[in-house]
CSV table of all heavy atoms in Angstrom, one decimal:
chain,number,residue,atom,x,y,z
E,125,ARG,N,-64.1,-201.5,20.3
E,125,ARG,CA,-63.6,-202.7,19.5
E,125,ARG,C,-62.3,-203.2,20.0
E,125,ARG,O,-62.1,-204.4,20.2
E,125,ARG,CB,-63.4,-202.3,18.0
E,125,ARG,CG,-63.4,-203.4,17.0
E,125,ARG,CD,-63.1,-202.9,15.6
E,125,ARG,NE,-61.7,-202.4,15.5
E,125,ARG,CZ,-60.6,-203.1,15.3
E,125,ARG,NH1,-60.7,-204.4,15.2
E,125,ARG,NH2,-59.4,-202.5,15.2
E,126,LEU,N,-61.4,-202.3,20.3
E,126,LEU,CA,-60.1,-202.7,20.9
E,126,LEU,C,-60.3,-203.4,22.2
E,126,LEU,O,-59.6,-204.4,22.5
E,126,LEU,CB,-59.2,-201.5,21.0
E,126,LEU,CG,-58.7,-200.9,19.7
E,126,LEU,CD1,-57.9,-199.6,19.9
E,126,LEU,CD2,-57.9,-201.9,18.9
E,127,ALA,N,-61.2,-202.9,23.0
E,127,ALA,CA,-61.4,-203.6,24.3
E,127,ALA,C,-61.9,-205.0,24.1
E,127,ALA,O,-61.5,-206.0,24.8
E,127,ALA,CB,-62.5,-202.8,25.1
E,128,GLU,N,-62.8,-205.2,23.1
E,128,GLU,CA,-63.3,-206.5,22.7
E,128,GLU,C,-62.1,-207.4,22.4
E,128,GLU,O,-62.0,-208.6,22.8
E,128,GLU,CB,-64.1,-206.4,21.4
E,128,GLU,CG,-65.5,-206.0,21.7
E,128,GLU,CD,-66.3,-207.0,22.5
E,128,GLU,OE1,-66.3,-208.2,22.1
E,128,GLU,OE2,-66.9,-206.6,23.6
E,129,VAL,N,-61.2,-206.9,21.5
E,129,VAL,CA,-60.0,-207.7,21.1
E,129,VAL,C,-59.2,-208.1,22.3
E,129,VAL,O,-58.8,-209.2,22.5
E,129,VAL,CB,-59.1,-206.9,20.1
E,129,VAL,CG1,-57.8,-207.6,19.8
E,129,VAL,CG2,-59.9,-206.6,18.8
E,130,GLY,N,-59.0,-207.1,23.2
E,130,GLY,CA,-58.3,-207.4,24.4
E,130,GLY,C,-58.9,-208.5,25.2
E,130,GLY,O,-58.2,-209.4,25.7
E,131,LYS,N,-60.2,-208.5,25.4
E,131,LYS,CA,-60.9,-209.5,26.1
E,131,LYS,C,-60.7,-210.9,25.4
E,131,LYS,O,-60.5,-211.9,26.1
E,131,LYS,CB,-62.4,-209.2,26.2
E,131,LYS,CG,-62.9,-209.3,27.6
E,131,LYS,CD,-64.4,-208.9,27.7
E,131,LYS,CE,-64.6,-207.5,27.9
E,131,LYS,NZ,-66.1,-207.0,27.8
E,132,MET,N,-60.9,-210.9,24.1
E,132,MET,CA,-60.8,-212.1,23.3
E,132,MET,C,-59.4,-212.8,23.5
E,132,MET,O,-59.3,-214.0,23.5
E,132,MET,CB,-61.0,-211.8,21.8
E,132,MET,CG,-62.4,-211.5,21.4
E,132,MET,SD,-62.9,-212.6,20.1
E,132,MET,CE,-62.0,-211.9,18.7
E,133,ILE,N,-58.3,-212.0,23.5
E,133,ILE,CA,-57.0,-212.6,23.5
E,133,ILE,C,-56.5,-212.8,24.9
E,133,ILE,O,-55.5,-213.4,25.1
E,133,ILE,CB,-56.0,-211.8,22.8
E,133,ILE,CG1,-55.8,-210.4,23.5
E,133,ILE,CG2,-56.4,-211.6,21.3
E,133,ILE,CD1,-54.6,-209.6,22.9
E,134,GLU,N,-57.3,-212.4,25.9
E,134,GLU,CA,-56.9,-212.5,27.3
E,134,GLU,C,-56.3,-213.8,27.7
E,134,GLU,O,-55.2,-213.9,28.3
E,134,GLU,CB,-58.0,-212.0,28.2
E,134,GLU,CG,-57.5,-211.3,29.4
E,134,GLU,CD,-58.6,-210.9,30.4
E,134,GLU,OE1,-59.7,-210.6,29.9
E,134,GLU,OE2,-58.3,-210.9,31.6
E,135,PRO,N,-57.0,-214.9,27.4
E,135,PRO,CA,-56.6,-216.2,27.9
E,135,PRO,C,-55.3,-216.8,27.2
E,135,PRO,O,-54.7,-217.6,27.8
E,135,PRO,CB,-57.8,-217.1,27.7
E,135,PRO,CG,-58.6,-216.5,26.6
E,135,PRO,CD,-58.3,-215.0,26.7
E,145,ARG,N,-50.0,-208.0,22.0
E,145,ARG,CA,-50.5,-207.1,23.1
E,145,ARG,C,-49.7,-205.8,23.0
E,145,ARG,O,-50.3,-204.8,23.4
E,145,ARG,CB,-50.3,-207.8,24.4
E,145,ARG,CG,-51.5,-208.7,24.8
E,145,ARG,CD,-51.5,-209.1,26.3
E,145,ARG,NE,-51.1,-210.5,26.5
E,145,ARG,CZ,-51.9,-211.5,26.5
E,145,ARG,NH1,-53.2,-211.3,26.3
E,145,ARG,NH2,-51.5,-212.7,26.7
E,148,LEU,N,-51.5,-203.9,20.5
E,148,LEU,CA,-52.8,-203.5,21.0
E,148,LEU,C,-52.7,-202.3,21.9
E,148,LEU,O,-53.5,-201.3,21.8
E,148,LEU,CB,-53.4,-204.7,21.8
E,148,LEU,CG,-54.8,-204.4,22.5
E,148,LEU,CD1,-55.8,-204.1,21.4
E,148,LEU,CD2,-55.3,-205.6,23.3
Side-chain angles (χ1 to χ4, degrees):
Chain E
R125 197 186 66 84
L126 290 174
E128 280 295 309
V129 173
K131 230 180 271 174
M132 285 234 290
I133 66 172
E134 213 182 328
R145 277 193 253 270
L148 180 59

